[in-house]
Amino acid sequence: MVQIKLPLWRAGPVKAVSPLRSPSYLPRAINSLPSSRSFSKNVRPSATLAPNLSYNDRPPPAVPTNQPSVLGPVPGFRAQEMKVDLDRVFDTRSVSMMVDYAKSHGNFIADADGNVFLDCFAQIASIPVGYNNTHLIRTAQSPEMICSIVNRPAIGNYPSTEWLHLLQSGLLRAAPEGFTQVFTGMSGSDVNEAAYKAAFMWRAQQDRGGADIDFSNEEVRSVMSNQSPGSPNYSILSFSGGFHGRLFGSLSTTRSKPIHKLDIPAFDWPSAPFPKLKYPLEEHTRENAAEEARCLEVTEDLIKNFHNPVAAVVVEPIQSEGGDNHASPAFFQSLRALTLKHNTLLIVDEVQTGVGATGAFWAHSHWNLPTPPDIITFSKKAQAAGYYFRDPALRPNKPYRQFNTWMGDPAKAILFRAILEEIERGDLVRRTREVGAYLFAGLEALSRRWPGEVKDLRGKERGTFIAFDSGRRDEVVRAMRGLGVNVGASGVSAVRLRPMLVFEERHADVLLEGLERVFRGDV
């Protein structure tokens, strides 16, 4: 007789658990998609393979893709050999998994060896509604999408006759309340840099006396030598632990890990401390309030006195790459008050937090700000990238100042509109709040049993945007992969959970059971 133990995170009577069923959002005709074998049939296998044997000759076995299934060592034979071949032309040192996307469905990702994992990391928080979502596939096959792909426009010069409608029916329909304008770009790093440029031009126009005042001869002359006054010494204030991208300007505001920044010249821009809260929050109210007050005091001093005038403050609602660091709504309310007091713009980087993962479409809405931020940047789950703004003064005073060839991609805007339709159809933001509460309660139960394994659990009432610290973080991540669950990491010791918006309670049970097994040593 097999003894069934009640998982620690469950409450109430034991119910029979049926195998996971394929969710309704999975494609029914997925076999019509090309296989990974057909994608790579013309690739010459590595000379290191055994004689007369290549990974193309050993297709992975067919396995269900609506539940985890680990068939052998991870990574397996095919994945290892594919990585060797790929490394000849593409740096693979950061590769985590060789993925068979054609066989990945919903919340489950398949690798080259036929292993199937519950994906709780979702391409670094960028897959919103599941792999091979039926509605997105239909959208990709539409004449509108085909036309946008094969006739990609230089939007700033030659926008499509459909561009206004596409913006209004998708990106602008999803905009935070009061944000009526959008600048589209290519990636999170790109749009953060564009937002910084908008802030600098806005500040310079103010210092010059208004947008209608033309540039001086000295400004025009000096800027070509990268000297002031044409190239002023303005700055962007960011926070320790923050991550805003890896391009030159965005990298100067990134403060998460040295490896991101080493050997790259940087601007002389200020960094303020971000609160380091103690958990559980309800047990450290006084200490956390003092810590946030300390950080705000330093921030105000930098805004007032830093030698390169601060044009804008950029902040993440939750510092994601830096270790999933949180602050209270009161902190952000006070930060907004400081920026208004000192005529400094507030840029909120919603690249990772935006589009529903925190149980609100935009994470900054949890703050209940009396005055909204000035600029909101987005990417990742939107599959498109850009920034929203409210004040027309944030448009440059002349054309071609905020410009590049593509200025975004209509195909990605079409895809985002389809994503938004899926989110609305399934009421997925509300469901993310509900599933997040369920998952957090389960993790709380595990933390009470194994307090040394689940430390500083955070993300309560923030949807599925949840993390905890572990003294053996990397070991936990590897062990979970061996059990068929893909989780992420951030900061020094954080286990980072970034499931998709279609993640349900039954998927949370698989995740929690896996963690329980790892903590018990049952792996």
Side-chain angles (χ1 to χ4, degrees):
M1 179 177 178
V2 178
Q3 183 180 8
I4 300 177
K5 294 183 179 180
L6 179 64
L8 293 173
W9 64 88
R10 288 193 182 276
V14 180
K15 297 181 180 179
V17 180
S18 61
L20 296 181
R21 295 174 295 172
S22 297
S24 60
Y25 48 79
L26 295 187
R28 300 188 181 193
I30 196 65
N31 289 333
S32 64
L33 290 173
S35 69
S36 61
R37 188 176 184 185
S38 67
F39 288 147
S40 59
K41 62 183 179 183
N42 295 320
V43 176
R44 184 169 56 86
S46 168
T48 63
L49 294 176
N52 302 317
L53 180 65
S54 79
Y55 46 74
N56 290 322
D57 296 324
R58 295 180 52 173
V63 295
T65 52
N66 62 350
Q67 58 188 9
S69 176
V70 179
L71 307 175
V74 179
F77 170 81
R78 298 182 83 240
Q80 292 183 59
E81 293 300 331
M82 284 181 170
K83 185 174 177 181
V84 167
D85 272 3
L86 179 60
D87 193 65
R88 297 174 179 223
V89 298
F90 185 87
D91 188 355
T92 63
R93 288 172 294 178
S94 62
V95 168
S96 178
M97 182 186 300
M98 297 295 294
V99 180
D100 190 337
Y101 287 102
K103 291 185 172 63
S104 301
H105 301 165
N107 287 281
F108 294 89
I109 187 170
D111 74 2
D113 293 281
N115 300 305
V116 177
F117 307 88
L118 175 64
D119 193 356
C120 300
F121 198 41
Q123 308 294 320
I124 319 177
S126 64
I127 300 293
V129 291
Y131 294 109
N132 288 308
N133 178 282
T134 304
H135 183 53
L136 300 194
I137 290 174
R138 285 196 296 263
T139 299
Q141 295 169 338
S142 68
E144 180 185 28
M145 179 68 86
I146 293 170
C147 183
S148 293
I149 292 173
V150 302
N151 303 294
R152 184 178 180 182
I155 296 175
N157 289 135
Y158 303 99
S160 162
T161 55
E162 299 299 316
W163 185 233
L164 173 62
H165 171 71
L166 182 54
L167 292 176
Q168 291 176 332
S169 61
L171 287 169
L172 286 172
R173 188 159 63 86
E177 184 177 357
F179 286 77
T180 58
Q181 302 191 53
V182 64
F183 177 88
T184 52
M186 301 305 301
S187 69
S189 296
D190 172 45
V191 297
N192 278 336
E193 290 215 352
Y196 301 169
K197 288 175 61 181
F200 292 145
M201 289 185 279
W202 170 84
R203 174 64 181 266
Q205 287 168 187
Q206 287 197 331
D207 290 349
R208 197 176 288 117
D212 56 338
I213 305 299
D214 207 352
F215 309 112
S216 69
N217 290 335
E218 179 61 16
E219 287 174 323
V220 172
R221 184 196 62 77
S222 61
V223 75
M224 300 310 292
S225 299
N226 297 338
Q227 300 295 315
S228 64
S231 180
N233 293 321
Y234 297 139
S235 65
I236 303 291
L237 185 150
S238 59
F239 289 88
S240 59
F243 182 90
H244 303 287
R246 300 173 189 253
L247 299 178
F248 273 105
S250 56
L251 193 59
S252 288
T253 56
T254 287
R255 316 279 184 173
S256 48
K257 293 180 180 178
I259 195 64
H260 298 152
K261 299 168 66 72
L262 286 166
D263 297 335
I264 311 300
F267 293 110
D268 184 9
W269 292 354
S271 172
F274 193 80
K276 295 182 178 179
L277 302 185
K278 295 182 178 180
Y279 295 88
L281 294 175
E282 59 273 14
E283 296 179 12
H284 299 91
T285 304
R286 182 175 299 177
E287 301 100 306
N288 288 340
E291 168 68 358
E292 292 187 338
R294 179 188 71 85
C295 295
L296 288 165
E297 183 178 357
V298 175
T299 301
E300 182 170 26
D301 180 67
L302 288 168
I303 292 174
K304 290 167 56 179
N305 299 315
F306 191 73
H307 52 273
N308 290 329
V310 176
V313 173
V314 63
V315 68
E316 300 165 90
I318 300 168
Q319 289 188 332
S320 303
E321 298 300 322
D324 264 50
N325 306 315
H326 292 245
S328 72
F331 172 82
F332 292 107
Q333 291 164 8
S334 297
L335 179 63
R336 182 51 173 150
L338 286 180
T339 59
L340 291 170
K341 176 182 176 182
H342 296 290
N343 194 33
T344 303
L345 297 181
L346 178 61
I347 302 170
V348 177
D349 179 348
E350 289 253 27
V351 167
Q352 188 157 157
T353 56
V355 194
T358 68
F361 203 96
W362 300 108
H364 74 272
S365 66
H366 290 294
W367 305 340
N368 298 313
L369 296 179
T371 304
D374 298 290
I375 297 176
I376 306 293
T377 63
F378 62 89
S379 188
K380 285 194 180 283
K381 279 188 172 63
Q383 297 286 301
Y387 68 79
Y388 297 114
F389 60 104
R390 299 176 295 118
D391 186 353
L394 287 172
R395 286 191 183 189
N397 61 345
K398 294 180 184 293
Y400 287 100
R401 302 192 69 201
Q402 192 74 294
F403 185 86
N404 57 61
T405 298
W406 300 125
M407 291 183 66
D409 185 348
K412 296 301 184 183
I414 292 169
L415 188 63
F416 174 76
R417 184 176 62 192
I419 290 167
L420 181 61
E421 290 165 352
E422 279 290 86
I423 291 172
E424 293 173 337
R425 182 184 65 81
D427 200 5
L428 296 182
V429 177
R430 177 186 61 81
R431 285 292 294 135
T432 298
R433 283 198 301 273
E434 295 172 347
V435 175
Y438 178 88
L439 175 58
F440 194 90
L443 290 167
E444 281 186 315
L446 292 178
S447 71
R448 288 190 290 270
R449 179 69 182 272
W450 287 285
E453 297 279 8
V454 181
K455 302 176 183 177
D456 293 344
L457 177 63
R458 49 205 183 271
K460 188 173 185 178
E461 298 179 353
R462 291 298 179 267
T464 55
F465 214 93
I466 298 171
F468 60 89
D469 288 333
S470 169
R472 56 183 188 119
R473 188 268 310 278
D474 294 345
E475 181 183 344
V476 169
V477 171
R478 283 193 300 269
M480 289 295 286
R481 180 77 64 87
L483 294 175
V485 181
N486 186 44
V487 298
S490 65
V492 175
S493 59
V495 175
R496 174 169 43 161
L497 305 180
R498 293 293 179 271
M500 307 169 203
L501 303 181
V502 292
F503 189 80
E504 300 176 353
E505 287 88 351
R506 59 202 176 97
H507 303 115
D509 285 342
V510 174
L511 168 62
L512 291 164
E513 181 179 358
L515 287 171
E516 183 180 358
R517 288 184 61 186
V518 171
F519 299 157
R520 285 202 314 256
D522 183 21
V523 290

